[in-house]
Amino acid sequence: MTMRLDYLSIFPAYFDVLDISLLGKAAVNGLVEVHAHDLRDWTHDRHRTVDDTPCGGGAGMVMKPDPWGEAFDEIIGTEPDSSVHVIFPSPSGAPFTQSAAQELSSAVRIVFCCGRYEGIDHRVIDYARSMWTVHEVSLGDYVLNGGEVAALAITEAVVRLVPGFMGNPESLAEESFSAGQDGLLEYPLFTRPVSWRGLDVPEVLMSGHHGRIAKWRRDESVRLTCERRPDLTDSDFGVPH
Ligand SMILES: Nc1cc(-c2cccs2)n[nH]1
């Protein structure tokens, strides 16, 4: 099945990058279909206006609802369809997680709505919720100028999980946050040369002893996770199973 991805933005050129690398290949082999749209194509004034001052006062500008509604009508349609996932990146969204990426990787359609300015008129999100499956997601506790970079990051996290996308799906199993890692951070990786600028690959990895190697890797994952992401550890991690 082909996943259709749509991007609504006043800077659609951000998404030209999706034509290269793995994503470009996936588009070529029909795994994903990418469509970027300029929100200003759904304005009707000479200045192609997409924003206005906030009701109730305050600094900055808010994106008007009208262009979004007309773009939705043309791009998605006017009938409700819960199989369409509409994503609004936002600093006030729910944290985007690997499990969310996993769920979205089976979607048939995903529409990314990239806000700029101070944000989008809230009725756009309310309307979208009445029609489709909406996700307001945050990439982290920092503020970007717009949703485009977030949409690219979410796209990469999702598309790489689409069956048939990754050459070697086994590599997905051992990544950080993957179920195969029990939600632990990935252990440190090494390759040749064994000695490099006075720094050596840990001997255990050269021992050929698979049991010891697996234990070293698990211990490293637990150590790293406890050090860097105590929020990911529950009381059990400290104790080897
Ligand atoms: N996590 C996150 C999202 C954002 C956005 C800013 C503007 C649109 S989306 N900032 N930080």
Side-chain angles (χ1 to χ4, degrees), residues 42 68-82 84 109 127-128 130-132:
W42 288 277
W68 290 97
E70 292 186 28
F72 286 160
D73 291 350
E74 188 171 327
I75 294 167
I76 313 177
T78 53
E79 292 301 315
D81 181 349
S82 61
V84 177
R109 268 201 89 172
Y127 173 76
S130 75
M131 296 285 283
W132 308 295

Side-chain angles (χ1 to χ4, degrees), residues 89-91 115-117 137-147 150:
S90 162
R116 284 257 145 186
Y117 307 104
V137 295
S138 164
L139 285 199
D141 294 337
Y142 46 85
V143 183
L144 301 169
N145 284 329

Side-chain angles (χ1 to χ4, degrees), residues 20-21 30 59 63 73 99-100 104-106 128 132 144 184 187 221 232:
I20 60 179
S21 87
M63 298 190 93
D73 291 350
S99 55
L104 283 167
S105 67
S106 59
W132 308 295
L144 301 169
L184 289 167
Y187 46 80
S221 287
L232 291 180

Side-chain angles (χ1 to χ4, degrees), residues 173-190:
E174 294 203 350
E175 294 174 331
S176 291
F177 309 104
S178 66
Q181 280 284 94
D182 295 334
L184 289 167
L185 299 184
E186 188 161 342
Y187 46 80
L189 298 171
F190 301 86

Side-chain angles (χ1 to χ4, degrees), residues 18-178:
L18 294 177
D19 296 340
I20 60 179
S21 87
L22 269 176
L23 267 165
K25 202 182 87 186
V28 164
N29 60 34
L31 219 57
V32 295
E33 194 183 304
V34 173
H35 300 269
H37 310 274
D38 185 345
L39 184 66
R40 294 188 196 275
D41 288 351
W42 288 277
T43 60
H44 308 291
D45 63 306
R46 196 155 59 91
H47 298 291
R48 295 164 58 92
T49 308
V50 292
D51 64 322
D52 199 345
T53 53
C55 297
M61 302 291 273
V62 175
M63 298 190 93
K64 295 163 55 66
D66 326 59
W68 290 97
E70 292 186 28
F72 286 160
D73 291 350
E74 188 171 327
I75 294 167
I76 313 177
T78 53
E79 292 301 315
D81 181 349
S82 61
S83 75
V84 177
H85 292 261
V86 181
I87 296 181
F88 292 88
S90 162
S92 53
F96 185 71
T97 61
Q98 187 65 20
S99 55
Q102 189 64 54
E103 282 170 37
L104 283 167
S105 67
S106 59
V108 182
R109 268 201 89 172
I110 304 176
V111 180
F112 291 89
C113 301
C114 303
R116 284 257 145 186
Y117 307 104
E118 305 313 314
I120 304 172
D121 184 299
H122 203 270
R123 289 168 293 179
V124 172
I125 296 161
D126 288 341
Y127 173 76
R129 285 195 187 282
S130 75
M131 296 285 283
W132 308 295
T133 303
V134 169
H135 311 263
E136 288 182 77
V137 295
S138 164
L139 285 199
D141 294 337
Y142 46 85
V143 183
L144 301 169
N145 284 329
E148 289 80 7
V149 165
L152 285 169
I154 293 165
T155 298
E156 184 151 318
V158 169
V159 173
R160 64 194 298 277
L161 298 176
V162 171
F165 178 84
M166 292 291 274
N168 169 20
E170 279 175 35
S171 62
L172 295 174
E174 294 203 350
E175 294 174 331
S176 291
F177 309 104
S178 66

